[in-house]
Amino acid sequence: GEDVEQSLFLSVREGDSSVINCTYTDSSSTYLYWYKQEPGAGLQLLTYIFSNMDMKQDQRLTVLLNKKDKHLSLRIADTQTGDSAIYFCAEYSGGYQKVTFGIGTKLQVIP
Amino acid sequence: DAGVIQSPRHEVTEMGQEVTLRCKPISGHDYLFWYRQTMMRGLELLIYFNNNVPIDDSGMPEDRFSAKMPNASFSTLKIQPSEPRDSAVYFCASMRRNSEQYFGPGTRLTVT
């Protein structure tokens, strides 16, 4: 079955880069997502990558996908205090139209 | 569009009472999902609908939980009777086929 794993907590200093890692198990995943959840709010899609891509860059965000190892990472350059949130990795398999979420990584940015 | 709308935003109730959570998906979205989020278990998918029909309810914890979608613009999640271990944040999300999910702001449920 599908399973998505990620570490629970990451602490970085403001201005440094953050790297949040994720592993997944479903080799038929077609999309892989990163969602952001700010305190007291729902999840919002941050970025996504197609499974046939290795990398995607969007301003301060870089997503790397290693399909062989089923490893996904999110790099946030020049991390700001406003980036403090919980980041969820998720995989999507089109057949069932379901998204499987990881447990979420809480990013703490220290001023 | 106003996004996914959930009500109430906060609910405090006593053990044994019936609780009804409500969701209005984004217009035109034909998939609707109910999730529960806790510190211990993270984000759990409870049930999802396609065109108002329940597709997978394997995540519903037990018979005390039920969900309905009487039309394309409204869904409810009901807990009867509620228990303290049901305390969590409940999210509704909707999407079009092969697209990303849009989440509502959630309902924080506290059962005392």
Side-chain angles (χ1 to χ4, degrees):
Chain A
E2 310 95 356
D3 195 18
V4 177
E5 294 188 356
Q6 50 184 133
S7 54
L8 291 178
F9 190 75
L10 176 66
S11 180
V12 299
R13 294 206 172 273
E14 189 174 17
D16 288 350
S17 291
S18 308
V19 179
I20 303 171
N21 294 301
C22 166
T23 57
Y24 62 98
T25 56
D26 189 350
S27 58
S28 66
S29 297
T30 50
Y31 294 85
L32 293 133
Y33 299 103
W34 284 104
Y35 280 81
K36 179 182 180 182
Q37 183 183 28
E38 296 185 353
L43 281 68
Q44 284 192 303
L45 182 67
L46 196 59
T47 186
Y48 66 93
I49 189 168
F50 293 106
S51 59
N52 62 358
M53 295 171 64
D54 298 323
M55 186 182 85
K56 180 179 180 181
Q57 189 147 2
D58 183 3
Q59 298 181 353
R60 292 190 298 120
L61 305 178
T62 304
V63 179
L64 295 177
L65 175 60
N66 181 329
K67 201 171 179 182
K68 174 176 169 288
D69 295 337
K70 298 189 182 69
H71 182 265
L72 182 74
S73 68
L74 172 69
R75 179 175 179 270
I76 305 172
D78 187 24
T79 312
Q80 302 297 306
T81 54
D83 295 324
S84 293
I86 301 175
Y87 291 81
F88 290 86
C89 171
E91 63 174 349
Y92 168 75
S93 300
Y96 295 101
Q97 300 293 320
K98 264 175 33 173
V99 177
T100 302
F101 288 86
I103 199 164
T105 299
K106 184 171 184 177
L107 174 65
Q108 179 188 47
V109 182
I110 304 166
Chain B
D1 200 314
V4 176
I5 298 172
Q6 290 187 247
S7 65
R9 293 294 311 275
H10 302 274
E11 175 81 35
V12 180
T13 191
E14 290 183 348
M15 183 174 65
Q17 296 297 306
E18 178 180 292
V19 174
T20 300
L21 311 182
R22 297 172 176 80
C23 175
K24 181 180 180 345
I26 293 173
S27 177
H29 285 191
D30 48 0
Y31 286 85
L32 184 140
F33 303 79
W34 281 102
Y35 292 91
R36 177 171 70 176
Q37 185 179 33
T38 60
M39 290 288 289
M40 292 298 294
R41 300 169 72 95
L43 196 66
E44 301 173 276
L45 175 64
L46 300 177
I47 185 172
Y48 79 96
F49 295 82
N50 175 218
N51 291 325
N52 315 336
V53 176
I55 302 300
D56 183 354
D57 65 354
S58 59
M60 296 286 262
E62 47 197 276
D63 292 345
R64 297 185 297 106
F65 285 68
S66 62
K68 293 182 180 179
M69 192 164 186
N71 56 62
S73 59
F74 184 66
S75 177
T76 59
L77 178 68
K78 189 175 290 189
I79 308 171
Q80 165 64 20
S82 58
E83 296 182 4
R85 61 192 167 117
D86 302 331
S87 297
V89 181
Y90 291 80
F91 288 104
C92 176
S94 71
M95 74 178 206
R96 295 181 201 276
R97 185 176 179 81
N98 292 331
S99 183
E100 73 266 24
Q101 293 186 12
Y102 290 81
F103 281 74
T107 296
R108 181 173 295 276
L109 173 65
T110 304
V111 183
T112 60

